[in-house]
């Protein structure tokens, strides 16, 4: 059974810093991995999708990497802004379904 | 853009009531999913469906059932609501083509927050 872990559970940094969020998974037989953002009381917004054959994906200030062999993914946020404050969730696609980590609650302090 | 609409943002029900949570998507997606989200437990899959009238149990199906009579609509049913079903419920959809290509992108609705008293 796939298990997904995100560390840290919460992170608070000053505005402007670069930061890394971590995601690890136990079963390397994945289809792809998806990073989401969730604002309080809202649904999830997809940020980046990395297919199993890819090593990384970039969108603006976000860069996600995938290392299947070690069961790890990272989400790198450059030049953080207060608007980046949210919970970030990692989801790993297995056969037909997505298994989530518990998320990292990120706070960017002005 | 794909739009996934959950009809009720907030519901308050009493123990023992039958509760329907409705989800509609407008992009002809084959796959639809129901998750619940609880603090400290993350998102857990309740049921999913990859075609009309098809359903598969997720990780926590107990106390729930689903209905998929039309492709665009996936309903979650709590036959007899209990206080431990108080939660945020999230519906999502994706296309079968994306799944086959490995580019599966799950699109979520805004969520339905259910309180059972």
């Amino acid at each position: 059974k796939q298990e997904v872990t995100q560390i840290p559970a919460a992170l608070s940094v000053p505005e402007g810093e670069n930061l890394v969020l971590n995601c690890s998974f136990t079963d390397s037989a994945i289809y792809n991995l998806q990073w989401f953002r969730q604002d309080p009381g809202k649904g999830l917004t997809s940020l980046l999708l990395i297919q199993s054959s890819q090593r990384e994906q970039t969108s603006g200030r976000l860069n996600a990497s995938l290392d299947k062999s070690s069961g790890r993914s990272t989400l790198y946020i450059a030049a953080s802004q207060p608007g980046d404050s949210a919970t970030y969730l990692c989801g790993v696609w297995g056969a037909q379904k997505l298994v989530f980590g518990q998320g990292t609650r990120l706070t960017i302090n002005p | 853009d794909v739009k996934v609409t959950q009809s009720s943002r907030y519901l308050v029900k009493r123990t023992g009531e039958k509760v329907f949570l409705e989800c509609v998507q407008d992009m002809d997606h084959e796959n639809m999913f129901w998750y619940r989200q609880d603090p400290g437990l993350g998102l857990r899959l309740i049921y999913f469906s990859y075609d009309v009238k098809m359903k598969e149990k997720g990780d926590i199906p107990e106390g729930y059932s689903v209905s998929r009579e039309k492709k665009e609509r996936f309903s979650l049913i709590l036959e007899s609501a209990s206080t431990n079903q108080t939660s945020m419920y999230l519906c999502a959809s994706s296309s079968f083509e994306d799944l086959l290509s490995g580019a599966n992108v799950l699109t979520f609705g805004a969520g339905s927050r259910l309180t059972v008293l």
Side-chain angles (χ1 to χ4, degrees):
Chain A
K1 181 182 174 183
Q2 180 72 271
E3 294 183 3
V4 181
T5 304
Q6 291 186 248
I7 296 173
L11 182 64
S12 180
V13 301
E15 180 178 2
E17 281 202 5
N18 304 324
L19 57 99
V20 175
L21 306 180
N22 297 293
C23 172
S24 61
F25 46 95
T26 55
D27 185 352
S28 61
I30 67 171
Y31 284 89
N32 54 43
L33 185 146
Q34 195 168 357
W35 281 94
F36 295 87
R37 168 189 173 132
Q38 186 178 31
D39 294 291
K42 303 288 181 62
L44 278 67
T45 300
S46 181
L47 296 173
L48 287 165
L49 174 82
I50 309 178
Q51 297 189 44
S52 61
S53 58
Q54 297 174 326
R55 297 283 296 190
E56 64 179 310
Q57 280 288 329
T58 298
S59 176
R61 293 183 294 108
L62 305 180
N63 176 276
S65 68
L66 174 64
D67 183 344
K68 280 178 53 179
S69 61
S70 66
R72 295 179 185 275
S73 176
T74 62
L75 179 67
Y76 175 83
I77 303 177
S80 59
Q81 303 171 357
D84 295 330
S85 296
T87 296
Y88 291 80
L89 294 117
C90 162
V92 176
W93 276 101
Q96 293 183 314
K97 65 178 185 179
L98 190 61
V99 179
F100 285 92
Q102 294 188 15
T104 295
R105 188 172 68 253
L106 177 64
T107 303
I108 307 298
N109 301 304
Chain B
D1 284 350
V2 176
K3 188 172 181 181
V4 179
T5 303
Q6 295 182 233
S7 55
S8 302
R9 288 299 314 276
Y10 301 95
L11 301 94
V12 180
K13 299 292 182 180
R14 296 211 174 269
T15 301
E17 281 193 70
K18 190 170 186 176
V19 180
F20 292 87
L21 300 180
E22 305 287 345
C23 176
V24 177
Q25 48 91 7
D26 65 359
M27 280 297 290
D28 203 35
H29 279 177
E30 294 82 6
N31 306 319
M32 297 189 74
F33 306 80
W34 275 106
Y35 287 86
R36 66 176 281 177
Q37 185 177 29
D38 302 287
L41 297 176
L43 277 86
R44 294 177 291 167
L45 182 64
I46 304 171
Y47 268 96
F48 64 102
S49 167
Y50 48 85
D51 203 352
V52 177
K53 297 194 185 293
M54 304 290 282
K55 60 183 179 182
E56 294 284 341
K57 292 180 180 179
D59 298 318
I60 52 163
E62 297 78 18
Y64 303 93
S65 63
V66 290
S67 173
R68 185 109 183 257
E69 295 297 318
K70 293 184 178 181
K71 192 175 186 179
E72 67 270 19
R73 186 180 297 270
F74 192 35
S75 303
L76 181 69
I77 303 159
L78 288 65
E79 294 288 344
S80 178
S82 63
T83 55
N84 63 12
Q85 292 178 310
T86 292
S87 187
M88 169 72 98
Y89 290 87
L90 293 162
C91 174
S93 74
S94 68
S95 75
F96 189 60
E97 180 179 354
D98 280 351
L99 177 65
L100 288 180
S101 69
N104 211 358
V105 177
L106 206 62
T107 303
F108 279 84
S112 298
R113 183 165 294 282
L114 172 67
T115 301
V116 183
L117 302 176

